[in-house]
């Protein structure tokens, strides 16, 4: 099903901007991009998509009902892809109120407005309409050494961030079952790639390494994540909104489990090749183990076999290729990350849960 008019929330963020860039470059869709432009939103991340006649941008808060009603009424979307969210665990520890407001209240507001809009469509338009809610594997809690999350895994959120995302997932399903709103959901593993805000592990490590600073690794570095390149994720999102079954959830993972220490070491190895230190030593010598994050989940892993089986999706990037091109992108795009670091975030430690 080709979708002609797509409303993307959070489209100036990391995953949202990757999705918008793909929609503009690889489809004929009209895209209405709604983003509040908080610290993590950046219009520079939209690159050439921002200047396309098929892209329109609105700086607006998804909690602002009148603004959302106006956008739905004037743009008349055939699908909503809802990515707007506060997303960093450490920030949720320090300040959970923003997460509750955006992730819970904002999703409720968007659902309520979308439902009223959907009810006003004719029968054919109602059948083709989709509300795609984009979520995280963190809602499932923490795994031990074995097993993986899939669409049947019980929810067990452990941080303020994951609790608010779990709440938003439940709201979306409730609106489907109670009001009939045609929804699809996705839960993804950790994303990485170009245009990633540098509070997250991979970009933070790259930028600290080239600045000659210590590379902080939480605890003993043994916590495990499944890494998914953001462009692979965007391809999955497009497939799900176009072909996913109504009311269904699809897990999206990169088949790339790594410990945090392995991730940092892989970045160091790439930098050793692309930008050798002047003293000839490895960037690994800058690694320092620091006090662990409070309540740090041990391991996440995604079983994406349903997505592969039903929609034919597979990640195109291996972790080795993805991390190499990500490091290369940051080395080649200092203007983008320098402007980010000159703003609200300077690479300081977050999420220490100080009273």
């Amino acid at each position: 099903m080709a979708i002609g008019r797509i409303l993307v929330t959070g489209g100036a963020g990391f995953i949202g901007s990757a999705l918008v860039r793909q929609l503009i470059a690889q489809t004929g869709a009209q895209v209405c991009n709604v983003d509040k432009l908080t610290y993590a939103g950046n219009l520079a991340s939209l690159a050439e998509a921002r200047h396309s006649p098929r892209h329109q941008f609105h700086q607006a808060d998804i909690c602002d009902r009148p603004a959302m009603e106006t956008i739905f009424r004037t743009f008349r979307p055939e699908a909503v892809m809802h990515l707007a969210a506060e997303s960093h665990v450490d920030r949720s520890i320090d300040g959970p109120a923003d997460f509750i407001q955006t992730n819970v209240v904002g999703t409720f507001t968007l659902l309520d407005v979308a439902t009223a809009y959907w009810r006003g469509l004719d029968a054919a338009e109602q059948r083709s309409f989709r509300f795609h809610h984009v979520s995280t594997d963190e809602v499932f809690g923490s795994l031990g050494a074995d097993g993986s999350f899939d669409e049947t895994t019980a929810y067990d959120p452990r941080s303020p961030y994951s609790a608010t995302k779990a709440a938003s997932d439940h709201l979306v399903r409730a609106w489907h079952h109670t009001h009939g709103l045609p929804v699809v959901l996705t839960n993804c593993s950790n994303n990485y790639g170009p245009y990633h805000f540098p509070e997250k592990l991979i970009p933070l490590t790259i930028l600290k390494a080239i600045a000659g600073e210590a590379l902080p690794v939480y605890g003993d570095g043994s916590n495990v994540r499944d890494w998914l390149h953001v462009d692979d994720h965007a391809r999955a999102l497009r497939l799900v909104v176009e072909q996913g079954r109504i009311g269904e959830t699809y897990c999206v993972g990169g088949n790339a489990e790594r410990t945090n220490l392995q991730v940092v070491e892989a970045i160091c190895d790439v930098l050793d090749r692309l930008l050798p230190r002047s003293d000839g030593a490895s960037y690994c010598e800058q690694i320092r183990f620091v006090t662990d994050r409070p309540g740090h989940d041990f391991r996440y892993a995604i079983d994406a076999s349903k997505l592969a089986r039903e929609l034919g999706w597979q990640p195109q990037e291996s972790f080795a290729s993805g991390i190499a091109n990500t490091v290369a992108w940051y080395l080649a795009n200092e203007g983008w990350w320098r402007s980010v670091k000159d703003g609200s975030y300077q690479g300081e430690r977050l999420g220490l849960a100080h009273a």
Side-chain angles (χ1 to χ4, degrees):
M1 178 184 70
I3 300 173
R5 303 176 68 80
I6 302 175
L7 171 60
V8 178
T9 71
F14 172 46
I15 300 172
S17 65
L19 173 63
V20 169
R21 292 193 302 270
Q22 279 193 21
L23 287 170
I24 294 300
Q26 300 178 26
T27 78
Q30 299 281 334
V31 177
C32 179
N33 183 349
V34 174
D35 198 294
K36 188 179 177 181
L37 293 183
T38 61
Y39 72 95
N42 190 340
L43 291 177
S45 300
L46 294 167
E48 64 278 2
R50 183 182 176 190
H51 305 293
S52 168
R54 292 187 289 107
H55 174 264
Q56 59 177 270
F57 176 78
H58 297 271
Q59 183 174 356
D61 186 344
I62 59 171
C63 296
D64 183 344
R65 181 183 295 268
M68 294 302 104
E69 289 173 337
T70 297
I71 288 168
F72 271 83
R73 184 175 63 252
T74 57
F75 181 67
R76 297 192 60 80
E78 298 169 18
V80 177
M81 301 184 75
H82 174 37
L83 293 88
E86 293 285 345
S87 66
H88 190 39
V89 173
D90 288 354
R91 285 184 184 269
S92 81
I93 295 169
D94 290 340
D98 287 343
F99 288 72
I100 293 169
Q101 185 68 19
T102 297
N103 299 357
V104 181
V105 177
T107 298
F108 155 71
T109 303
L110 200 64
L111 283 167
D112 220 27
V113 172
T115 301
Y117 165 79
W118 170 72
R119 285 172 172 162
L121 300 175
D122 65 34
E125 291 171 328
Q126 284 188 354
R127 285 193 298 271
S128 62
F129 183 80
R130 299 290 183 271
F131 186 104
H132 181 182
H133 178 61
V134 180
S135 190
T136 171
D137 61 355
E138 298 193 34
V139 299
F140 301 128
S142 182
L143 289 167
D146 302 313
S148 57
F149 301 133
D150 65 20
E151 293 79 8
T152 67
T153 302
Y155 277 40
D156 186 21
R158 306 292 187 89
S159 69
Y161 161 62
S162 58
T164 61
K165 289 300 291 184
S168 67
D169 290 8
H170 292 318
L171 286 173
V172 172
R173 292 191 180 94
W175 254 247
H176 170 62
H177 289 290
T178 302
H179 301 296
L181 185 69
V183 307
V184 287
L185 295 89
T186 48
N187 295 85
C188 70
S189 59
N190 282 41
N191 280 223
Y192 71 100
Y195 299 104
H196 202 176
F197 190 80
E199 66 187 355
K200 300 296 181 76
L201 174 63
I202 287 176
L204 183 67
T205 298
I206 296 168
L207 300 187
K208 283 186 173 294
I210 62 180
E213 300 175 12
L215 308 181
V217 175
Y218 288 171
D220 63 1
S222 63
N223 297 74
V224 176
R225 298 296 181 264
D226 174 17
W227 292 95
L228 171 67
H229 195 280
V230 69
D231 290 336
D232 280 329
H233 187 200
R235 283 186 280 270
L237 297 181
R238 289 166 49 203
L239 270 176
V240 170
V241 77
E242 292 174 357
Q243 302 178 29
R245 289 186 289 132
I246 295 301
E248 292 292 316
T249 297
Y250 297 88
C251 287
V252 191
N255 298 325
E257 285 187 57
R258 298 291 190 281
T259 67
N260 287 346
L261 181 58
Q262 287 174 327
V263 170
V264 173
E265 289 173 338
I267 292 168
C268 291
D269 289 344
V270 175
L271 284 169
D272 287 343
R273 296 195 305 272
L274 299 182
L275 187 70
R277 282 180 27 164
S278 59
D279 62 2
S282 171
Y283 286 91
C284 285
E285 293 195 0
Q286 296 168 221
I287 293 173
R288 299 292 182 272
F289 295 98
V290 300
T291 303
D292 205 355
R293 166 194 288 163
H296 195 178
D297 289 345
F298 175 66
R299 176 174 167 264
Y300 305 149
I302 284 281
D303 175 358
S305 59
K306 178 179 176 180
L307 185 58
R309 182 175 64 253
E310 293 193 8
L311 304 183
W313 178 88
Q314 293 287 346
Q316 295 180 14
E317 293 279 4
S318 68
F319 185 76
S321 67
I323 204 67
N325 67 39
T326 298
V327 172
W329 186 90
Y330 277 90
L331 294 179
N333 289 273
E334 181 176 351
W336 181 87
W337 59 258
R338 185 72 68 187
S339 66
V340 172
K341 287 178 68 67
D342 287 347
S344 63
Y345 181 66
Q346 299 293 327
E348 69 274 17
R349 175 76 188 272
L350 303 171
L352 291 171
H354 290 153

